[in-house]
Structure formats: C-alpha cells, structure tokens
Amino acid sequence: MSNQTQAIPLDTTASTPGRRRATYGLSDAVTGWLLSLPLTLVLLFFLVLPIVMIVIVSFWGATEFSIYPAFQFDNYEFLLTSPVTYSVFLNTIKYAVITWAITLVLGFTIAYFLAFHVRTLTWQIVLFLLCTIPFWTSNIIRMISWIPFLGRNGIANSTLMSMGVIDEPLEWLLFSDFSVILAFVHLYTLFMVVPIFNTMMRIDKSLIEAAYDNGATGLQTLTNVIIPLTKPGIMIGSIFVVTLVMGDFITVRFMSGSQKANVGRLISNDIALLQYPSAAATAVVLLVTVLIVIGILLRFVDIRKEL
C-alpha cells in the first residue's frame, strides 16, 4: 500500500469576484446602478419632483377664488417689479449676514476651545453634549422663551432697572431686529459649531507644534495653520446657517411681533391667501438666490475633502 497521496487539483478561479459576476451575469456598471437605485428614487420623488412642481405652478395664473394652469410670467413680473420684494429680500439678506457673522465667531470660538484646550476625549464629549442640550426641545419653545425675558416688564429690563443702569424699560429688546437676530443666533449656532469642531479634530497636532517650534506666535498659528485647515468646516457651517436663516419665517413672525418681514413670511402670507402661484414664484426666486450664495461659498474651498 503506497504512503503517497495523489494531489487533487483545486479550481482557484471559482470564488473570484470576476467569476461570481460572470455567474450572475451582472457587470460592474449594472451593479453600481442597482445599488444606487433606492437612493436615486428617494431623491427623485422627495426632492426633484417637488421642485419641478413648484417651478411649474409658478407659471400658473390665479384669481381671488381659484388658480388655473397656464404658462405666463405675471407672477415673476409682479414679484420683480415690486419695491416690496426688494425690501424684503434685503431684509432677509441682512438677517442672514448678521446671523452668519455672529454664529461664525461663536461657533469657531467654542469649537477651538473644545478641540485644543480640552485635553481628554471624555470631557470633549461631555462639553459637546452640553452644547446640544437646548436642542432637546423644539425650536418654537426655545424661541418663545426669549419673550418673557426681553419683554417690557421682563427679566432683562427689570434687572437693569433694579441695578440703576436704565431709568425706563428698553423697547428695542423685543419685537425688533435685535430680538430676531438673537433668536436666530440661539437657534443656529450649533450648526456652525459641529462642522468646525469636526474639522478641527482632524488637524494633526504636530503641525501646530511645528509652528510653535519655528517661532510662530499664537495669532500666527491661528491665522496661518488652524484657520486655513478649518475652511471646509467653516464653509459647511456657513451653508447651513445661511440657508436656514433665509428660509425661516416663524422666527421673524414671533420675535418681531409681525412688524418685520423676510422672504419666508412673504411665501407664508401668499399660501395663507391661497395664492399658490405667487408663493411658488417667490420660492423659486429664493431657491435661485440661495443656490447663488452656496455657489459663491463653494468657490472658496473644496468641501468634498470634508465629506
């Protein structure tokens, strides 16, 4: 009886990816399309089609009692020739720019402190979660909570009067541009903190140490190392804040006492009056404006490195 065993040849190609694809009869391109099909359908039905419908309705006509399908530019002509439209858009841009500037300063400062001055990961997580506590309640509740604080007989005026700082209540604390911007900053600062903090955490600490070793001051390190490397996070946060502020309408309504207006309120008023074609035309103009702003922001940095 022979002690030698005969080697059995194995088919090593049977389990390769190319063999499996050949077995199922699917190419790489077809497999890729099938994998992306569910997300494509979701985006198509919940994003593309609604936008297309809004654009179509913006060309329709309307009377006091009905709307009718048509292809006319009356809505855009009325919108673009009305001085009220330009005033409202300028007011919207003013809110967006001021809120963006304040949230950028606050968001960068908070993110810088968490990323570079808090040494342990545990405390970074704890303090970051502490920043998110206000977001555990709804935007409306957090916004309305400012009204008893800023009112004529509210906590702020009562405290200032008791300290002798003022002799009579400050009227501009509530139902003004100040209260609107204050509410915007309160609501949307976290949208600036998160992307900036995420970007700062990816910065190699050895780069900062190298800057200090080469004689750079703290300000030089900030302006030449940290800020350039944080640009993607700043741009993402800026896009979030600007788009949210420009589309918001409920904050302006409550915090201004219906004395101020932005584009969102203009659309809301048209919908309340059942003037859907006019509201759709305003929404299209607002969408184009926001896309232009986003396009300008994306010219400064490639945020694909952050995604």
Side-chain angles (χ1 to χ4, degrees), residues 122-136:
T122 302
W123 276 108
Q124 285 179 341
I125 296 174
V126 170
L127 293 176
F128 183 80
L129 291 177
L130 187 63
C131 295
T132 66
I133 288 178
F135 287 80
W136 296 357

Side-chain angles (χ1 to χ4, degrees), residues 26-88:
L26 297 176
S27 63
D28 290 338
V30 174
T31 303
W33 278 107
L34 290 177
L35 292 175
S36 63
L37 183 60
L39 182 58
T40 303
L41 293 177
V42 170
L43 292 176
L44 179 65
F45 285 103
F46 295 100
L47 178 64
V48 177
L49 287 183
I51 293 176
V52 171
M53 287 301 302
I54 291 174
V55 174
I56 293 174
V57 173
S58 67
F59 293 101
W60 288 10
T63 64
E64 295 181 357
F65 307 102
S66 64
I67 61 175
Y68 54 90
F71 186 77
Q72 56 189 19
F73 294 91
D74 294 353
N75 298 315
Y76 290 99
E77 181 180 356
F78 175 79
L79 185 66
L80 298 177
T81 56
S82 174
V84 176
T85 302
Y86 295 98
S87 176
V88 171

Side-chain angles (χ1 to χ4, degrees), residues 19 24 38 42 53-54 94 127 129 132 137 161 173 211 213 218 257 262 264 269 279 281 292 296 299:
R19 184 62 176 268
Y24 291 106
V42 170
M53 287 301 302
I54 291 174
K94 177 185 69 175
L127 293 176
L129 291 177
T132 66
T137 58
M161 291 178 66
L173 288 181
D213 292 341
N262 65 343
N269 292 339
I292 292 174
I296 294 174
R299 296 287 295 179

Side-chain angles (χ1 to χ4, degrees), residues 12 28 41 43 45 51 81 120 167 239-240 278 303:
T12 57
D28 290 338
L41 293 177
L43 292 176
F45 285 103
I51 293 176
T81 56
T120 62
D167 297 327
I239 291 172
F240 281 151
S278 178
I303 65 172

Side-chain angles (χ1 to χ4, degrees), residues 99 103 106 131-132 134-135 137-146 179-193 240-241 244-245 248-252 254-255:
T99 304
T103 55
L106 292 176
C131 295
T132 66
F135 287 80
T137 58
S138 68
N139 284 5
I140 296 178
I141 293 176
R142 287 184 287 130
M143 175 180 54
I144 294 178
S145 65
W146 284 104
S179 59
V180 172
I181 294 173
L182 179 63
F184 277 143
V185 171
H186 180 207
L187 293 175
Y188 301 134
T189 297
L190 188 64
F191 291 93
M192 188 70 77
V193 173
F240 281 151
V241 172
L244 288 171
V245 171
D248 192 297
F249 71 94
I250 196 69
T251 303
V252 177
F254 284 163
M255 299 307 295

Side-chain angles (χ1 to χ4, degrees), residues 4 32 41 70 121 159 175 216 219-220 242-243 253 291 294:
Q4 296 181 351
L41 293 177
L121 180 61
T159 303
F175 301 145
L219 181 60
Q220 290 174 332
V242 170
T243 54
R253 177 184 176 184
L291 291 177
I294 293 175

